[in-house]
Amino acid sequence: MIEARHLRVLRAVARTGSFSAAARELGCTQPAVSQQMKALEHSAGTPLLIRGPREMRMTEAGEALVRHAAGILAGLTAAEEEVAAIAGLRAGRVRLASFPSGSSTLVPSAVAAMRSQYPGTKVSLEEAEPPRSVEMLRAGDCDITLAFRYVDLPTPAEESWADLVVRPLLTDRLVGVVPDGHPFALDGRPVDIGELAEEQWIAGCPRCRRHLVEVCERAGFTPRIDFATDDYPAVVGLVAAGLGVAVLPELALESVRPKGVAVVEVRPAVQREVVALTLPDLANVPAVDMMLGRLALAATR
């Protein structure tokens, strides 16, 4: 019989590439990892690893088992959490993954409300931008991920959420950020993005950067991007220093002190949809369902 603890070890070995690195990740000894892998191979009845002098790689059977491990472990976690809640323990664990502006605006009040009402539930957070955060969810490395996508762009097939439970949270408008004293800051009028064609630009995360380029190209120009950072305070600081202009989500500006910059309305209007995602099995886990509700409430404030 294949045991869940052996599958967790197998995933760690596949992810890290060695027994010693997997042991560090799992907080155990290298011999313990080796023993559990031998036990798993015995249960499977076939080798799962090819051990070389310099590297270790998965056999075809090992790769197949790794592919199935995430779904098996997610289903097992769902079962364990639901059984615990039914038994009246009111305990659980929710692992969140979120993009930075969601972490600083939606997550704090949602987690505070969760801890206040359900102090036995442990909540953890890891920051990651989509699509990486969505990959983490499917791999079983988190229970809920906050993600976003731009409503004016088609969704690539590889970034589909069709297999996930989608909880819409809010629609986030993008606004222009220019230095204080900039002519558009003084006008106080909406700015057509084509009017910014000659400006130097400061771009954000890779997905945001790609979206910026597509929006500008639809307006007839390619933006000159001199700086790129996914640190929103850094974007504001660069704009305030007169080094360029930027387009940021309003959600991001809520967590940044916009000193030395002015916010202007940009046309055509650009919006992104912010959602909470989870797996169908996990959506039925009480702690996960409660956390989804707290995130939805945080988005209305």
Side-chain angles (χ1 to χ4, degrees), residues 83-229:
V83 168
I86 291 171
L89 298 178
R90 311 316 286 171
R93 177 190 67 179
V94 182
R95 298 166 298 165
L96 294 175
S98 174
F99 55 95
S101 58
S103 299
S104 59
T105 54
L106 300 176
V107 171
S109 60
V111 172
M114 188 76 172
R115 284 190 173 178
S116 174
Q117 192 167 1
Y118 304 101
T121 301
K122 297 179 181 178
V123 183
S124 61
L125 170 67
E126 183 172 345
E127 284 198 344
E129 296 275 1
R132 169 62 186 144
S133 58
V134 182
E135 293 171 1
M136 290 173 60
L137 177 64
R138 290 194 175 107
D141 294 327
C142 66
D143 305 311
I144 298 173
T145 184
L146 268 64
F148 64 86
R149 59 186 171 192
Y150 292 99
V151 298
D152 60 324
L153 293 180
T155 303
E158 64 272 16
E159 295 185 17
S160 170
W161 298 336
D163 59 322
L164 304 175
V165 174
V166 181
R167 179 73 66 90
L169 297 180
L170 57 88
T171 299
D172 194 16
R173 185 181 62 143
L174 272 67
V175 293
V177 183
V178 300
D180 274 346
H182 190 285
F184 291 136
L186 301 176
D187 281 354
R189 65 175 177 83
V191 177
D192 187 281
I193 198 160
E195 297 180 78
L196 300 170
E198 300 303 317
E199 300 285 345
Q200 301 172 55
W201 286 83
I202 297 145
C205 70
R207 170 177 277 201
C208 302
R209 198 176 315 154
R210 186 170 68 248
H211 178 258
L212 170 65
V213 171
E214 293 191 28
V215 168
C216 291
E217 287 180 345
R218 287 204 300 264
F221 72 98
T222 299
R224 174 187 162 188
I225 298 175
D226 287 350
F227 302 95
T229 174

Side-chain angles (χ1 to χ4, degrees), residues 34-80:
S34 179
Q35 276 187 333
Q36 293 198 50
M37 285 305 305
K38 286 178 182 177
L40 180 57
E41 288 182 319
H42 179 74
S43 298
T46 186
L48 302 175
L49 295 171
I50 299 172
R51 301 161 177 83
R54 294 185 178 179
E55 65 177 1
M56 181 182 298
R57 59 188 178 88
M58 293 284 155
T59 64
E60 185 177 359
E63 290 175 350
L65 195 52
V66 168
R67 283 198 306 273
H68 288 284
I72 293 169
L73 293 173
L76 182 59
T77 298
E80 290 172 344

